[in-house]
């Protein structure tokens, strides 16, 4: 395993340049007051990194494009052989657009129950989509990853991992660099987490640009493999049958090997957020910031508002709103049930 190098996050930022959106870091006095009141604190500042406004509607485009611009993919033969990856939707869309941007053939293996909107958009970006087969007691992403590996071996495509890949990790970390360039005094950064690629990139960016910032990991309840890993002190896969959650983008069954090597010694704490609190945070983001977030994208804000992250009076807390790929009818249905 290669050693993580924080400086490569800055190299990724230079490589990506203006091909990605420098998403806004939003602040609203009403949200500051709401968070301060819920947490019984004074003068909290809440900054929301709106990665829901990134190309393809999620932070994943940063890592996907950075990976396809790296040396081993930067030639006609490699692009003709193409790439294959497993994804429930956000990395699928990101890699599809990155492949179209670079002229690379792309195949995506998605879990059988991936959201239809995400599958439709992935096809619209030009990728071939293959659905995995459901297997009782088998994590949906484990099943899809196995099919993707078999496809790569059969067709000679490059197998790309959606989070356990250094190029992807460094690309995702560029969002945190942008935060630290705009705000020097961030006490805590809250990062929604599936396999840990974005979290690892943010850890390395903080090491490079804001060493005093504490990083916190947030997962859906029932998929808290990072929290279990931090408690045990070792990378710990989920036990038992897969859980049910509306946060479809964050259903990894275990931290990645590379991501755990970065996150294990660097993350200050972890939380698991129930679905109902994710929906509440979606409503808060819509009301206070006019942002449409998918449940996964709202987990960081939910964890803050629940009091899962330690804060002090006057703290500036940054939250990554990592995605907004939710169908209108789903968004309305979720909020009608509140």
């Amino acid at each position: 395993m290669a050693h993580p190098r924080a400086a490569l996050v800055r190299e990724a930022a230079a490589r990506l340049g203006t091909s990605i959106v420098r998403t806004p870091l939003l602040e609203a006095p009403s949200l500051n007051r709401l968070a301060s009141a819920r947490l019984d604190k004074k003068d909290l500042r809440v900054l929301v990194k709106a990665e829901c406004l990134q190309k393809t509607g999620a932070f994943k485009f940063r890592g996907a494009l950075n990976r396809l611009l790296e040396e081993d993919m930067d030639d006609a033969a490699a692009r003709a052989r193409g790439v294959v990856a497993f994804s429930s939707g956000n990395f699928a869309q990101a890699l599809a657009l990155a492949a179209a941007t670079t002229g690379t053939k792309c195949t995506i293996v998605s879990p059988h129950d991936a959201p239809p909107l995400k599958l439709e958009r992935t096809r619209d970006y030009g990728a071939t989509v293959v659905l995995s087969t459901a297997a009782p007691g088998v994590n949906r992403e484990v099943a899809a990853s196995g099919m993707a590996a078999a496809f790569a071996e059969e067709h000679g495509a490059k197998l790309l991992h959606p989070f356990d890949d250094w190029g992807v990790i460094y690309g995702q970390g560029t969002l945190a660099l942008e935060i630290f360039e705009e705000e020097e005094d961030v006490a805590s950064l809250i990062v929604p987490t599936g396999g840990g690629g974005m979290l690892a990139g943010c850890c390395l960016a903080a090491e490079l640009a804001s060493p005093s910032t504490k990083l916190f990991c947030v997962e859906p309840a029932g998929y808290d493999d990072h929290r279990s890993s931090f408690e045990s002190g070792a990378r710990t896969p989920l036990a038992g049958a897969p859980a049910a959650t509306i946060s479809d983008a964050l259903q990894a069954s275990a931290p990645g090997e590379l991501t755990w090597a970065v996150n294990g010694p660097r993350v200050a704490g972890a939380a698991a957020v129930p679905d109902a609190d994710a929906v509440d945070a979606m409503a808060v983001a819509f009301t206070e910031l006019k942002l449409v977030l998918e449940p996964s994208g709202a987990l960081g804000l939910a964890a803050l508002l629940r009091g899962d992250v330690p804060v002090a009076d006057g703290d500036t807390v940054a939250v990554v709103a990592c995605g907004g790929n939710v169908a209108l009818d789903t968004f309305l249905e979720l909020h009608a049930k509140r």
Side-chain angles (χ1 to χ4, degrees):
M1 181 178 68
H3 205 286
R5 293 174 55 196
L8 294 183
V9 179
R10 201 177 298 281
E11 288 188 20
R15 183 182 296 116
L16 292 171
T18 58
S19 296
I20 59 171
V21 176
R22 186 183 178 98
T23 54
L25 189 61
L26 302 177
E27 181 178 10
S30 56
L31 179 56
N32 291 341
R33 290 192 295 269
L34 174 64
S36 296
R38 286 201 186 184
L39 301 175
D40 193 25
K41 300 296 179 182
K42 295 180 180 179
D43 301 322
L44 286 181
R45 292 184 65 209
V46 181
L47 308 179
V48 177
K49 181 63 168 170
E51 281 295 293
C52 53
L53 303 179
Q54 185 55 255
K55 291 181 180 179
T56 72
F59 73 98
K60 294 278 192 178
F61 185 67
R62 296 172 181 268
L65 184 58
N66 185 59
R67 184 65 185 85
L68 293 191
L69 291 175
E70 289 190 324
E71 185 176 358
D72 67 323
M73 290 304 304
D74 193 19
D75 69 74
R79 290 173 176 168
R81 288 191 299 271
V83 294
V84 61
F86 71 92
S87 170
S88 64
N90 282 343
F91 187 72
Q93 294 174 84
L95 187 59
L97 180 57
T101 302
T102 57
T104 304
K105 184 179 179 181
C106 180
T107 300
I108 298 294
V109 180
S110 287
H112 67 282
D113 58 350
L117 177 64
K118 294 182 178 182
L119 296 177
E120 177 186 342
R121 293 291 170 82
T122 301
R123 294 186 181 100
D124 287 345
Y125 290 127
T128 298
V129 176
V130 178
L131 294 182
S132 68
T133 303
V138 177
N139 178 277
R140 63 205 286 273
E141 295 202 358
V142 171
S145 66
M147 285 186 61
F151 181 95
E153 184 174 351
E154 180 180 353
H155 297 278
K158 179 75 172 179
L159 179 64
L160 295 186
H161 200 284
F163 54 83
D164 218 22
D165 180 291
W166 289 123
V168 172
I169 290 169
Y170 296 138
Q172 315 301 30
T174 61
L175 72 88
L177 278 188
E178 293 176 4
I179 293 173
F180 300 137
E181 287 169 0
E182 293 187 41
E183 180 60 47
E184 295 181 356
D185 186 23
V186 177
S188 301
L189 175 59
I190 306 175
V191 185
T193 303
M198 174 170 53
L199 181 63
C202 290
C203 282
L204 294 175
E207 186 176 291
L208 186 68
S210 187
S212 64
T213 299
K214 294 181 178 180
L215 276 288
F216 291 89
C217 155
V218 184
E219 300 167 292
Y223 277 88
D224 51 347
D225 48 285
H226 274 80
R227 185 171 69 167
S228 298
S229 298
F230 290 126
E231 289 176 352
S232 68
R235 180 173 172 265
T236 305
L238 290 172
T245 177
I246 58 175
S247 294
D248 63 273
L250 301 176
Q251 294 186 26
S253 61
E257 292 184 8
L258 303 184
T259 62
W260 178 250
V262 175
N263 298 331
R266 290 173 173 83
V267 173
V273 172
D275 284 351
D277 293 301
V279 176
D280 173 68
M282 291 169 69
V284 170
F286 183 82
T287 302
E288 307 301 340
L289 297 171
K290 311 310 176 209
L291 289 180
V292 174
L293 300 182
E294 62 186 288
S296 300
L299 282 195
L301 183 58
L304 174 65
L305 295 175
R306 279 167 46 87
D308 290 335
V309 175
V311 294
D313 291 345
D315 272 358
T316 296
V317 181
V319 175
V320 182
C322 59
N325 288 313
V326 58
L328 177 60
D329 57 351
T330 301
F331 187 90
L332 295 175
E333 180 182 354
L334 288 173
H335 293 282
K337 296 177 180 178
R338 290 180 70 233

